[in-house]
Amino acid sequence: MRAPGDTAETVLACGEVRTCLLQTSASLPAAAAGELLRIRADERVRISERPNLHAVSPDVLTGVDCRLPAATGAKVRAVGTVAARAVLVEGRVLQTTAQFRSPGRGPDLRRPWGHYLVRPGVLEPLGRLPGRAVADGVLADRRQAGELDLGAIAERLLGELLRHPLLDQRPPFKSRRTRLRWAALRAADGAGPSIERFTLAEDGLRTVELRLPEHTEPAACAGLCEDLALHDWLLTTLVRMVERSRLGSADGHDAVMALRPAVDHLLHLWMPRARVDTTLGPLWEVLERKPGFTRQWQTLVQRIRDQLALQAIPLLREALTAR
């Protein structure tokens, strides 16, 4: 993995994505999305409208000098900057991502801050980086005092955006946030990209371990993980809405009314791989086989549509009888 302009080979990239419903009653149009995500005055918000409205903020950097979490308990000190950004999809779903990449070895002594500031999103270890141990440490759901916490950086940015005066704090339905934590190690020479593991936890945490070829840009990896986090949040939210509606057991009209926000705000957002780098697109095929994201989504959507059709039949009969 190597970013444009990098002189040192990246052997590890890590990040955490927070995903939630934007706390406002109506989805934001493009102009308002740009205003919400204008977190730096010197860089513009990138907005695209095809195949859906997608706004991306500029990166903001957080300087860190701390230990990296390591599953082996190794004391790995790193210095540099963590890059964080926000993404708004269809003016409705908000994501924030904090990420870094690291070379396999850094200087033995700490350098002046100027050295790190010209390498945005790079954390250099002091000495050798035990990539496997740090990857496992980042993916673990525990932190010791003084260790880097990517989730806290992503959560801070998310909290700032959710307090923006543009938002009326009246979301159309209740939902929970999800966290997707990812780590990408370099693949063996000649090997293609792969998903080594993908786990779901009950507390909203998901973890993904990737293997990526040397030429893969870290931005492409982050984009893949944001896309995965988005669709995992959509699926998780729809499952909970169907469960709360008591579809199939409650009064049909009540179930339809409970699911109306899903029809109005969620169903049109399902577009896996719409903005994933073509070199990483095949990784979605793995997730389609197991756990089967789109298959489960389509099953839920069909249940909702069937219920809507059942509720429409009596109304149609009444209309025909009245003629």
Side-chain angles (χ1 to χ4, degrees):
M1 297 172 283
R2 191 185 297 271
D6 273 0
T7 57
E9 176 187 326
T10 299
V11 300
L12 175 67
C14 299
E16 185 159 333
V17 187
R18 299 293 172 100
T19 306
C20 72
L21 182 71
L22 194 65
Q23 299 299 290
T24 192
S25 55
S27 59
L28 297 187
E35 183 178 348
L36 175 70
L37 300 188
R38 192 172 293 113
I39 56 180
R40 284 182 55 179
D42 58 335
E43 289 193 33
R44 65 183 182 87
V45 176
R46 291 178 288 133
I47 298 177
S48 60
E49 298 184 353
R50 299 291 184 275
N52 57 11
L53 181 60
H54 188 263
V56 182
S57 78
D59 286 350
V60 290
L61 302 179
T62 300
V64 299
D65 181 348
C66 62
R67 288 187 292 112
L68 298 179
T72 59
K75 306 298 184 183
V76 185
R77 180 184 172 191
V79 186
T81 58
V82 171
R85 74 175 188 178
V87 174
L88 185 63
V89 180
E90 280 292 338
R92 175 52 70 196
V93 182
L94 179 64
Q95 297 181 286
T96 55
T97 299
Q99 61 180 308
F100 72 88
R101 60 188 187 276
S102 288
R105 188 171 185 85
D108 292 329
L109 297 176
R110 189 186 186 285
R111 296 179 177 178
W113 269 116
H115 167 83
Y116 303 105
L117 293 177
V118 297
R119 294 165 175 79
V122 175
L123 294 184
E124 291 187 352
L126 268 61
R128 187 183 67 86
L129 178 77
R132 172 75 269 170
V134 172
D136 289 340
V138 167
L139 294 177
D141 195 21
R142 58 183 181 273
R143 293 287 177 274
Q144 296 183 8
E147 290 184 341
L148 176 66
D149 189 344
L150 293 173
I153 296 174
E155 184 68 27
R156 183 170 64 244
L157 177 57
L158 186 69
E160 292 173 358
L161 293 173
L162 290 176
R163 292 190 295 271
H164 197 284
L166 273 174
L167 309 182
D168 61 22
Q169 305 302 323
R170 292 188 292 111
F173 57 90
K174 294 181 179 180
S175 63
R176 301 177 187 174
R177 300 179 187 180
T178 57
R179 302 174 288 151
L180 185 139
R181 193 174 293 157
W182 57 269
L185 291 160
R186 180 182 170 183
D189 292 343
S194 64
I195 295 179
E196 299 297 300
R197 54 173 162 154
F198 174 63
T199 63
L200 301 176
E202 294 181 355
D203 61 353
L205 174 66
R206 288 82 171 97
T207 61
V208 183
E209 181 186 332
L210 304 166
R211 286 286 193 284
L212 300 179
E214 179 184 357
H215 61 270
T216 305
E217 294 186 7
C221 177
L224 168 70
C225 294
E226 287 170 345
D227 193 57
L228 172 56
L230 169 66
H231 289 86
D232 171 74
W233 181 88
L234 288 171
L235 182 56
T236 301
T237 301
L238 189 62
V239 167
R240 288 171 177 158
M241 293 180 76
V242 170
E243 290 174 348
R244 288 198 300 266
S245 74
R246 299 179 61 205
L247 187 63
S249 59
D251 178 79
H253 175 74
D254 292 342
V256 167
M257 295 307 295
L259 291 170
R260 180 173 177 176
V263 177
D264 292 342
H265 302 283
L266 296 184
L267 299 192
H268 63 290
L269 299 182
W270 191 263
M271 294 186 185
R273 295 188 289 185
R275 289 183 172 81
V276 174
D277 189 280
T278 55
T279 62
L280 301 182
L283 294 182
W284 254 107
E285 298 174 7
V286 177
L287 296 170
E288 296 295 23
R289 292 193 298 270
K290 184 179 180 181
F293 273 62
T294 297
R295 184 167 61 251
Q296 185 178 6
W297 175 266
Q298 291 174 342
T299 299
L300 290 169
V301 170
Q302 190 58 53
R303 286 190 66 194
I304 294 171
R305 288 174 174 167
D306 289 346
Q307 189 68 35
L308 292 174
L310 288 172
Q311 293 302 307
I313 290 174
L315 297 177
L316 180 59
R317 287 175 177 170
E318 291 178 7
L320 292 174
T321 303
R323 287 186 177 182

